[in-house]
Amino acid sequence: MNPQSYKRRQSDTITVGDIKMGGENPIRIQSMTSTSTMDTEGSVAQAIRIAEAGGELVRLTAQGVREAENLGEIHRIIREKGYNVPLVADIHFNPRAAFAAATKVEKVRINPGNFVDPGRTFKKLEYTDEEYAEELAKIDNAVTPFLELCKANNTAIRIGVNHGSLSDRIMSRYGDTPSGMVESALEFLRICKKRDFRNVVISIKASNTVVMVETVRRLVDAMEKEDMHYPLHLGVTEAGDGEDGRVKSAVGIGALLMEGIGDTIRVSLSEDPELEIPVARELVNYVTRRINFPKVNQYISANYNHLSPALPSSKECNGMGGELPTGVIGVDFVPDSNTLFLDAAENLDEEVVKQHNPGSIYVSSSHPDQVASILSTLHKLRDIAPESPVAVSMNYDGENLDETTLHAAVDFGTLLMSGFCNAIGITNKNLSHEELTHLAFTILQASRRRFTKTEFISCPSCGRTLFDLQHTLKKIKEATAHLPGLKIGVMGCIVNGPGEMADADYGYVGAAAGHVSLYRGKECVTKNIPADQAIARLIELLKSDGKWTDPS
């Protein structure tokens, strides 16, 4: 990150309808409708609300050819009403729907995990080199005609890989890992490059922010090695709603934007889709306006692994470091007379730091770009005082709670996703100690550093959703929010649900209209429960597994 002049990773420019993406173009903001694609009137109205909120692309699900064909009618009416927002078809498991949609909308999203491969069948777990090559040839044969159709119609495509939706072939050699997700994307990108199809954007997502950030970093590194420069779409899947959804999205998306990675973003919230747009816009504005800040000389530790950074080992000191979880200043770590205080805006006196090692260190910054200056100082401390636990405080005076929530999540997400901080603290004279402490713990949970409350992994809903997801999520939260450390997935349908809630301990997944299936991890334990009984049955499952405690 160069704070003096925010500069994105250099990517190719592609065209989606009337907008250009990548290259020197602005970071594009998008969302997805939650209506049935066969509900023409509802889909048109929701797409227009997204566009009026500032969304620059609108995605709709197309489960089959019928839905894909109806996208043409939705597209026609939206244009008649005077809106030129490009439409994107979202395809899973149905190449025929992708072919139909390619002539109706400006962009088609396909998932390499299920476009050709059935995905997640686990029927074949070993492949010889010859069998593996045969599978790749099969993919080429299936994808190439689709690329030719898109090229003929000037239709862009998004190759969208999701954690938990990889094919058996990829799983057999890589497992459900960042490396597997990257290889799944590269298989399709190599075909695009071979066939000279350039109008493509790539996304690689997870609900786990650590997995998401590491995977995108690895993808960028892999594409550079293969001379690929496709633009990138960023998002944290199944982020949830309210504060949790906003913080989780800001941590994952923000950390990558701060590195100059990302050409288009979607903040996935379990709320009305137009509410995603102002959150996404604020994230982009907050990061890109750093062009006005003075230069900070960025120092990078010689012992730093950018692709998969880990918190360095340190001594336990004054309530932080060692084997202790990442703390919150004022709760776990309280600065005392033995704490070394550093202002990251000032030159670091290495001798003073070395003499203090391994005592606790408190870092803040009076620099206009506090996170960049702090990041440089943390890299230096990693080299000269590796055993000293480090607490970081950042100040957001003058901001309201909503602004502080997003900005602090971006800033601390940048540090935490880079393998730093034994404790964090947020200051703001406008907010109470309780509000700031709560926010700090929420950021730590979103960054997978410390779980202090129930984690809800919930999809934003789409035309495939089989129940009122917003209402159901609210009811599940009311019933289970007192179970700290437990991860519960609330997913609208079977298409992505079991895969994209890969990190969940338990899952509540739409199985059919009015019916729900319950999961323990990735195992379906109870199928097709009437929806009005499902929450009670979920609680019964938690009780039988010894995961339930009565609310206090």
Side-chain angles (χ1 to χ4, degrees):
M1 177 180 62
N2 181 348
Q4 184 186 29
S5 177
Y6 178 76
K7 186 176 181 180
R8 298 210 313 271
R9 156 190 168 265
Q10 188 59 48
S11 65
D12 299 331
T13 298
I14 71 165
T15 302
V16 185
D18 291 338
I19 71 169
K20 292 187 181 299
M21 180 186 299
E24 300 300 320
N25 297 288
I27 297 171
R28 303 299 184 181
I29 307 297
Q30 56 183 284
S31 184
M32 183 175 183
T33 63
S34 59
T35 51
S36 165
T37 310
M38 296 310 298
D39 176 6
T40 303
E41 182 179 341
S43 296
V44 167
Q46 201 169 79
I48 288 174
R49 290 200 300 273
I50 292 170
E52 289 181 339
E56 296 169 281
L57 296 94
V58 176
R59 183 158 50 110
L60 304 94
T61 186
Q63 303 99 303
V65 172
R66 188 174 68 129
E67 289 83 359
E69 294 286 351
N70 201 51
L71 288 174
E73 181 67 5
I74 293 170
H75 188 281
R76 181 187 66 78
I77 296 173
I78 289 173
R79 294 296 176 272
E80 284 183 353
K81 291 179 177 290
Y83 296 87
N84 290 321
V85 59
L87 301 188
V88 185
D90 190 65
I91 308 294
H92 288 278
F93 295 105
N94 197 335
R96 291 175 59 245
F99 277 82
T103 62
K104 301 293 188 291
V105 296
E106 287 82 4
K107 183 178 171 188
V108 179
R109 180 271 173 117
I110 60 174
N111 184 340
N114 56 43
F115 186 75
V116 178
D117 298 292
R120 299 195 301 272
T121 62
F122 306 109
K123 292 179 180 178
K124 185 171 177 60
L125 301 179
E126 293 184 9
Y127 289 81
T128 66
D129 290 345
E130 292 76 12
E131 289 173 327
Y132 206 94
E134 289 173 2
E135 292 293 309
L136 294 180
K138 184 192 301 183
I139 293 173
D140 193 344
N141 291 335
V143 171
T144 295
F146 176 64
L147 299 183
E148 291 173 348
L149 178 64
C150 289
K151 187 179 292 187
N153 286 274
N154 195 32
T155 305
I157 69 170
R158 167 150 73 97
I159 296 172
V161 179
N162 285 344
H163 187 215
S165 66
L166 301 180
S167 67
D168 282 1
R169 185 188 63 266
I170 292 290
M171 292 283 287
S172 71
R173 293 202 174 180
Y174 299 92
D176 198 5
T177 63
S179 295
M181 294 168 70
V182 169
E183 184 61 25
S184 182
L186 289 175
E187 286 181 351
F188 276 58
L189 290 177
R190 289 172 187 135
I191 297 171
C192 292
K193 187 175 181 180
K194 176 181 176 182
R195 304 300 180 189
D196 194 32
F197 186 86
R198 302 179 182 181
N199 215 25
V200 58
V201 61
I202 179 71
S203 69
I204 196 157
K205 298 184 180 183
S207 63
N208 180 321
T209 54
V210 174
V211 172
M212 175 261 192
V213 170
E214 177 179 341
T215 305
V216 173
R217 286 170 174 164
R218 288 184 179 278
L219 175 65
V220 169
D221 184 66
M223 286 200 296
E224 288 295 322
K225 291 176 180 175
E226 298 197 27
D227 194 28
M228 297 175 179
H229 309 283
Y230 301 108
L232 283 163
H233 169 94
L234 301 182
V236 177
T237 60
E238 334 310 338
D241 65 349
E243 178 192 49
D244 290 342
R246 284 158 176 78
V247 169
K248 186 183 284 189
S249 295
V251 164
I253 296 171
L256 291 167
L257 288 178
M258 292 279 269
E259 296 175 17
I261 297 173
D263 302 284
T264 175
I265 71 169
R266 181 200 175 186
V267 172
S268 298
L269 300 176
S270 300
E271 303 175 16
D272 293 339
E274 61 267 26
L275 299 181
E276 298 176 351
I277 303 302
V279 181
R281 178 60 61 195
E282 180 58 27
L283 293 182
V284 170
N285 289 344
Y286 181 63
V287 173
T288 57
R289 70 175 178 236
R290 294 170 181 276
I291 191 171
N292 298 316
F293 289 155
K295 183 176 181 180
V296 175
N297 292 322
Q298 193 65 54
Y299 175 89
I300 305 296
S301 169
N303 302 311
Y304 184 65
N305 177 1
H306 171 70
L307 296 180
S308 185
L311 185 67
S313 298
S314 65
K315 296 288 183 66
E316 183 178 328
C317 182
N318 199 12
M320 66 173 178
E323 299 299 318
L324 296 173
T326 304
V328 172
I329 296 173
V331 177
D332 306 289
F333 165 71
V334 179
D336 60 17
S337 58
N338 294 318
T339 303
L340 178 63
F341 291 83
L342 298 177
D343 183 344
E346 300 175 355
N347 290 328
L348 190 66
D349 189 327
E350 295 190 13
E351 289 305 315
V352 170
V353 174
K354 289 178 180 177
Q355 290 172 12
H356 186 74
N357 186 34
S360 61
I361 301 176
Y362 182 105
V363 179
S364 59
S365 180
S366 59
H367 193 281
D369 192 349
Q370 55 183 343
V371 68
S373 60
I374 288 172
L375 188 58
S376 184
T377 297
L378 295 180
H379 274 284
K380 293 176 182 176
L381 293 175
R382 198 182 198 110
D383 285 343
I384 63 177
E387 294 188 336
S388 292
V390 180
V392 174
S393 176
M394 284 191 270
N395 180 56
Y396 299 90
D397 283 351
E399 297 184 355
N400 61 34
L401 179 58
D402 289 342
E403 292 168 334
T404 301
T405 295
L406 288 181
H407 299 171
V410 170
D411 292 343
F412 280 106
T414 298
L415 303 181
L416 294 164
M417 292 293 124
S418 297
F420 293 105
C421 303
N422 298 101
I424 67 170
I426 305 166
T427 60
N428 184 330
K429 293 178 182 177
N430 298 335
L431 303 178
S432 69
H433 171 74
E434 290 74 20
E435 288 173 317
L436 296 172
T437 300
H438 172 79
L439 176 56
F441 278 116
T442 300
I443 291 172
L444 290 180
Q445 177 143 329
S447 304
R448 320 296 287 187
R449 284 290 189 90
R450 184 172 181 177
F451 291 92
T452 53
K453 54 186 177 180
T454 314
E455 172 92 351
F456 295 98
I457 301 167
S458 64
C459 71
S461 185
C462 71
R464 297 186 298 265
T465 301
L466 297 166
F467 54 85
D468 184 340
L469 193 137
Q470 292 184 37
H471 174 77
T472 301
L473 176 61
K474 181 175 182 291
K475 291 295 184 182
I476 292 175
K477 280 190 169 185
E478 289 174 352
T480 63
H482 64 289
L483 304 171
L486 198 66
K487 297 187 284 292
I488 299 175
V490 184
M491 311 300 292
C493 74
I494 199 71
V495 172
N496 283 330
E500 293 187 5
M501 63 174 194
D503 289 325
D505 300 309
Y506 294 89
Y508 180 109
V509 181
H515 288 76
V516 171
S517 293
L518 298 180
Y519 283 71
R520 181 190 293 113
K522 295 182 180 180
E523 176 192 3
C524 183
V525 294
T526 310
K527 293 183 178 180
N528 297 322
I529 306 167
D532 60 358
Q533 303 174 21
I535 294 179
R537 296 285 291 276
L538 173 62
I539 292 172
E540 289 177 11
L541 177 61
L542 296 176
K543 288 180 177 178
S544 67
D545 286 354
K547 302 294 184 180
W548 179 264
T549 58
D550 290 326
S552 57

